[in-house]
Amino acid sequence: MTDLIIQLLSAMNFVLVLIMVAMGLMIIFGLMNVINMAHGEFFLLGAYTVVMTNRLGIGFWPALVLAPLTVGFIGMLIEYICIRHLYHRPLDTILATWGVSLAIKQLIIIIFGPAGLTVAPPLPQMVTVAGIEYPAYRVFIMAIALIIIAVTFYIFLKTDFGLGARAVIANRDMAATLGINTRRMYRTTFAFGSALAGLAGAVMAPVMSCDPQMGLGFFIPAFLSILVGGTGTLYGVLAGGAIVGGGDSLLSFHFSPVAAQVVIFSLAIFLIRIRPQGLLGSKKP
Amino acid sequence: MKSDISTIKSTDISMQRSVFWQPRPAWIAMGLAAILVLFPMTQNDYWIVQLTQLMVYGIFAMSLSLVWGYGGILCFGHAVYFGMGAYIYTLIVKGMIPGFSGILATSIAGLLTAVLCVSLFAVVVGYFLFYGRLKGPYLGIVTLAIAVIAERIAVDWYYIGGYNGLFSIPPFSVAGYEFITPIALFYFVLASSAIAYLLLTHIVQSPFGAILRAIRDNEARAESFGYNSAQHKIITFAIGAAVAALSGALFAIVTEFVSPTLIGFGLSTEVLIWVALGGKEVILASFLGALLVRTLETYLSELMAYYWILFLGVFFVAAVILFPKGIFGRWLSD
Amino acid sequence: MLKISNLHTSYGGSLILQGIDLKVKRAEIMVIMGRNGMGKTTLMKTIMGLLPPQSGKIELENESIGGLKPHKIAAKGVGFVPQGREIFSDFTVWDNLRLATMRYPRKKRCVPEKLFEYFPILKERKNQRAGSFSGGEQQMLAIARALVANPKLLLLDEPSEGIQPSIIQEITRILRAINKETGITIVIVEQNVDMILDLADTCAFLEKGRIADTCPKDALQKDDSMITRYMAL
């Protein structure tokens, strides 16, 4: 029983953070038709911001603010330097962002070395959840991920900016003819999506070993979540993230991480075969 | 309405182009072949060995050129086929697959089985991907996921050597002759490159290749002409996989060892860069791309150490933006 | 008001517009006619900035707008009702209208009440999903949306397409009224001859990427040989 609760809690942990990462990826893809292959590296940059703040001796908490800001800024820079030139060739943006991901990864290796690094847990105490002892920091992760997910939903469903963004997702040309500056929206959105990944990375840094390859471990499931859930809708990401993240996490407990990946991946491919638009998707892939 | 007229026109143009294929790459290919045939006369053993390996990668790059450049299938996991080819060949010639002994465990049998199995695997994968109407970016990332998973399986699978891979692969032998010397291997790989090149250019120039390009340029249009795009893509995928498996098996023959890095994300990444930089829409340009980038890597990675990959990444981004047709691709086609 | 000279535009690799020359006077309703595939939609999209002109000039009140991005052209006072209406069907009517105000600073974002006098149905069904509307109602929404930001020039691409005759008449009446009361200039691409004769001040005929003829509506009413020449299949 205790085991089951622990498993469920850590599955929830993974799912919520995964949704954070996947939302950024989805928003960028939905708006700009750009699959940001460097999204995992934005997560990575967020995690290494924590490594940095630890080395600077200012501890973990400043990184929570610093990571999304820095990574958002880097995202904006990358949009300005390379992606902006490729909007008329969307397939090439995959290659370009992927070159960016290689470069970022290597830069991290040059600065921090290829080995895994750990940072001290910022909240070492335990709390009691559903009758069992559970690390307080894990609870904090879930709380912050939930807040961020809620805020993102609010922004996209309730604000004027969100209305504009959804209009661009639904029909880019029409939104432009109504006077919406799509380019500016792209840049803002790219920065926002990057910042989400950066924050997710920072939040996860204390519970993972930070190594230069960690981004891929979130990028692929995040992408599968979008495929499974369907593009064009934020709710799809919730469903997809829950299925992919939850499945992966729970299967890893019972079998092995590799078996879990194989099962989840095969399931995802099978699902796409029978329902190409994803579970909740409206747009065709 | 308006688009009807325009797209029919552009499809017609691309179909014509395949008929009057530019002769230039053919001449350059012949020149290159002549240089390579004569190269062992220099008796420079270091370069003979280097070139042998480079050509193996070149074949691999050409196979991706067909799949990506002509089929329009952005494949981020092409090394899966390369690695599978290498592993299957190795397992067979080492007699590690139960039931495969005697004539079934010979080098030739190994090569053929590797190529066949891998192309069958590609047909199965292709069935799900292309009838699932996956394309563009989706396809890219799904294939990427396949590569990552394949690599993890190879690492975790103790029987096929796990993390360390498999060593001491017996030399390639036909009718008692063993390809052991660098020169014998060199010519063996050179001949394979030539065959692969001729096969791929033949496919590309055939009516099948013309349909393929029509599908790549405008899938809906090609389908309205009655072509089954999924079927064509699956066939292309399978041929590309077969050639990639051949290059993988050659890699095992030349280097005498295989390891999980051959099957995974890293090599998939590399081959994509070679092909993109060389020029994905020209078979020969992809071959040259592999040769160029690998050669540069040999020199520059010593010189620049960790900075080499950083440089490659940045250079790659710049090339994607500035030379969408690749370095040699622009020069080899007009 | 709108002056187009020697405009060339390609789409999908072939040259569709091959030297358009067209002048539209202020407060005029200009109808552009032509068979399918002659470049009517391409012309509208080029004016709106959705397709880049290859050469030639587009001037709005003596200011060149050729090659600007669509949102800049919208900001210069051009409203666009595209072919097929292209309303945001998952959004409410109100959100559809509100979208056209996004370019303004937050405090100035308002949908003019006057609009609902022309289209009372939109007010009644403000919170309904736009996708639940009939074709004609969607067309009204699309026109209203294009008018939210008080444009000087309104472009309509085949507004009668797929809409029942009674609603076509109503839309014609509303467009006439708006033109009379606000002095807005209207350019319409249309194939429905009844609507053309009801609405147009001037007609232009598009053939093979050029304006082959223009004439005032009165002349057309007397002699419809031109219509059969340019429109008959």
Side-chain angles (χ1 to χ4, degrees), chain A residues 199-271:
Chain A
L199 182 60
V203 167
M204 285 304 277
V207 294
M208 287 175 82
S209 158
C210 300
D211 72 76
Q213 310 300 330
M214 73 196 289
L216 208 58
F218 270 84
F219 174 73
I220 292 179
F223 184 79
L224 288 181
S225 310
I226 295 177
L227 275 186
V228 168
T231 53
T233 150
L234 278 176
Y235 295 108
V237 179
L238 292 188
I243 293 171
V244 172
D248 193 286
S249 184
L250 292 176
L251 286 170
S252 295
F253 269 110
H254 292 282
F255 307 102
S256 70
V258 181
Q261 277 187 354
V262 173
V263 171
I264 291 293
F265 178 75
S266 312
L267 205 76
I269 295 292
F270 185 70
L271 203 89

Side-chain angles (χ1 to χ4, degrees), chain C residues 25 157 160 187:
Chain C
K25 287 197 283 287
D157 195 350
S160 75
V187 176

Side-chain angles (χ1 to χ4, degrees), chain A residues 41-153:
Chain A
E41 277 58 46
F42 290 153
F43 180 90
L44 178 73
L45 283 173
Y48 274 84
T49 315
V50 175
V51 174
M52 269 285 283
T53 55
N54 260 320
R55 288 199 179 169
L56 290 174
I58 52 176
F60 169 76
W61 302 105
L64 270 191
V65 182
L66 219 58
L69 285 181
T70 324
V71 179
F73 179 72
I74 292 172
M76 204 189 275
L77 217 62
I78 288 168
E79 196 276 346
Y80 184 77
I81 295 170
C82 74
I83 296 170
R84 177 168 74 100
H85 306 286
L86 296 170
Y87 284 127
H88 54 291
R89 320 182 240 145
L91 263 187
D92 283 352
T93 55
I94 301 187
L95 297 178
T97 52
W98 191 45
V100 169
S101 95
L102 272 185
I104 292 177
K105 224 184 293 179
Q106 200 60 25
L107 206 62
I108 292 289
I109 292 179
I110 290 169
I111 299 172
F112 295 95
L117 303 169
T118 46
V119 293
L123 285 175
Q125 54 274 61
M126 304 289 266
V127 291
T128 312
V129 182
I132 58 150
E133 290 274 287
Y134 199 65
Y137 184 70
R138 290 268 181 184
V139 178
F140 171 75
I141 293 180
M142 289 191 257
I144 197 163
L146 270 176
I147 292 169
I148 296 293
I149 293 166
V151 167
T152 308
F153 266 83

Side-chain angles (χ1 to χ4, degrees), chain B residues 15 206-216 222 227-228 232:
Chain B
M15 285 189 175
S206 68
F208 178 82
I211 297 167
L212 215 53
R213 250 164 296 149
I215 292 172
R216 178 194 68 193
Y227 297 116
N228 182 336
H232 281 84

Side-chain angles (χ1 to χ4, degrees), chain A residues 160 163-164 166-168 170-171 173-183, chain C residues 48 50 70-71 74 80 82 86 88 91 95 98-100 102-103 106 109 145:
Chain A
D160 278 6
L163 179 65
R166 280 182 294 136
V168 175
N171 189 336
D173 277 357
M174 197 56 232
T177 62
L178 290 176
I180 292 173
N181 185 344
T182 49
R183 285 297 172 90
Chain C
M48 201 56 227
L50 290 171
H71 72 269
F80 182 49
E86 313 251 342
F88 294 94
F91 295 8
D95 280 348
R98 227 151 51 83
L99 268 172
M102 289 297 147
R103 80 179 84 133
R106 193 171 302 271
R109 285 176 196 166
R145 185 179 60 178

Side-chain angles (χ1 to χ4, degrees), chain B residues 314-326:
Chain B
V314 172
F315 182 69
F316 181 63
V317 176
V320 168
I321 296 170
L322 302 173
F323 312 109
K325 287 201 176 299

